[in-house]
Amino acid sequence: MISIKTPEEIEILKEGGRRLGIILRKVSEKVKVGVSTQELEDYARKLIHEGGDTASFLNYTPHGAKRPFPAAICVSINEEIVHGIPNEEPYIIQDGDLVSLDLGITHQGLITDSAVTLCAGNVSDKDRKLVENCREALFRGIKAAHGGTHIGDIGHAIESFARPLGYGISEGLAGHGVGYKVHEDPFVPNEGERGRGELLRPGMVLALEPMLTLGTDKIILDADGYTYKTTDGSRAAHFEHSIVITDSDPIILTK
Ligand code: MG
Ligand code: MG
């Protein structure tokens, strides 16, 4: 069932999203060659704790997972698409890496979710373009998500931008409702048809998150039970914002 958040809940989500946006920017500034993923995890936890909020992903067990997620932040490198674990076998960021950060925080009981991909050191033009275009794909999706349109319009906007550029769109991974839980209904695919799927109604809170690759759509789950990678080893990018549907353009919570 798709929940509609009250105006009071939306005010809390706005504040949570604002805090998340600041934390994600601060952690992003730490992403440099030679920094370990453990340091990013520790820094994210410190910032969340200082604000008096909690890390929504830490100890969260998504549907189908065999164990709780062990970290506050997901850090996914290069061919890793999403849900990389930063603190079990910490990785030192290398020159030319693509580093995706995905973070959720719970503020006064309500969750917002956001992700960015960063370029460490000297990244190839092709990789840099992938990152820029993935961000643009997110904004195309957000633009399509105004009240009175449908879930399919979001996927259509993302797909019709990304496919002609030759990018893969990771299959089976999608955006979602968010707020009371990390993952709520509806499922928000990154491909779709205009006018199809659920009607977008004011008060719906959605996390939109295109995941684009330089190669395949196919994904494989790593032995750690969380990290999704491209099956062909091609690099991936991921951007995400939590938004509120209104009568007109959506409100971006996590800017
Ligand atoms: Mg996320
Ligand atoms: Mg998400």
Side-chain angles (χ1 to χ4, degrees):
M1 212 195 73
I2 301 175
S3 65
I4 299 293
K5 275 71 179 182
T6 65
E8 294 74 23
E9 288 169 336
I10 288 167
E11 287 310 307
I12 294 170
L13 287 160
K14 279 183 184 168
E15 175 58 17
R18 189 187 70 82
R19 292 172 176 221
L20 171 54
I22 292 169
I23 294 170
L24 199 54
R25 194 176 62 229
K26 285 186 173 172
V27 179
S28 297
E29 285 164 3
K30 288 265 185 223
V31 171
K32 298 226 162 63
V33 175
V35 168
S36 85
T37 55
Q38 177 76 58
E39 289 171 66
L40 301 177
E41 166 70 12
D42 295 344
Y43 188 49
R45 280 199 202 199
K46 177 177 170 277
L47 294 172
I48 296 166
H49 182 76
E50 279 172 3
D53 297 319
T54 53
S56 316
F57 302 165
L58 181 63
N59 296 321
Y60 170 68
T61 307
H63 184 75
K66 291 192 177 71
R67 59 171 181 142
F69 192 72
I73 191 166
C74 304
V75 185
S76 309
I77 312 282
N78 298 333
E79 77 284 3
E80 298 174 353
I81 308 160
V82 283
H83 306 167
I85 299 172
N87 56 348
E88 288 190 336
E89 291 168 44
Y91 171 82
I92 307 287
I93 296 169
Q94 306 293 309
D95 189 35
D97 280 347
L98 295 186
V99 180
S100 298
L101 306 178
D102 189 350
L103 184 63
I105 72 165
T106 307
H107 173 67
Q108 292 181 18
L110 290 164
I111 298 165
T112 47
D113 185 5
S114 184
V116 289
T117 299
L118 302 145
C119 298
N122 300 297
V123 166
S124 73
D125 285 348
K126 210 172 153 191
D127 288 356
R128 195 171 292 278
K129 280 248 155 57
L130 171 69
V131 171
E132 284 167 11
N133 285 321
C134 189
R135 178 194 275 117
E136 176 62 22
L138 171 60
F139 282 95
R140 301 275 176 129
I142 292 171
K143 206 171 169 213
H146 54 83
T149 61
H150 294 256
I151 292 287
D153 290 78
I154 298 172
H156 181 266
I158 292 168
E159 173 190 9
S160 63
F161 173 71
R163 287 289 186 206
L165 296 171
Y167 295 129
I169 299 176
S170 295
E171 200 170 78
L173 298 171
H176 51 91
V178 68
Y180 309 119
K181 292 186 289 178
V182 174
H183 294 108
E184 297 179 3
D185 287 340
F187 194 67
V188 187
N190 292 314
E191 294 185 89
E193 279 179 55
R194 274 194 188 129
R196 291 293 188 92
E198 291 286 342
L199 179 68
L200 299 178
R201 286 175 290 136
M204 284 182 179
V205 179
L206 305 176
L208 306 191
E209 47 181 321
M211 289 152 268
L212 304 183
T213 81
L214 286 175
T216 185
D217 295 359
K218 302 270 182 244
I219 63 171
I220 185 168
L221 184 61
D222 187 85
D224 68 14
Y226 274 100
T227 312
Y228 282 103
K229 300 176 175 181
T230 57
T231 55
D232 61 357
S234 61
R235 290 186 164 196
H238 175 214
F239 281 85
E240 177 177 29
H241 274 308
S242 297
I243 65 169
V244 183
I245 304 300
T246 73
D247 285 324
S248 57
D249 289 334
I251 300 163
I252 302 176
L253 293 168
T254 45
K255 234 174 181 169

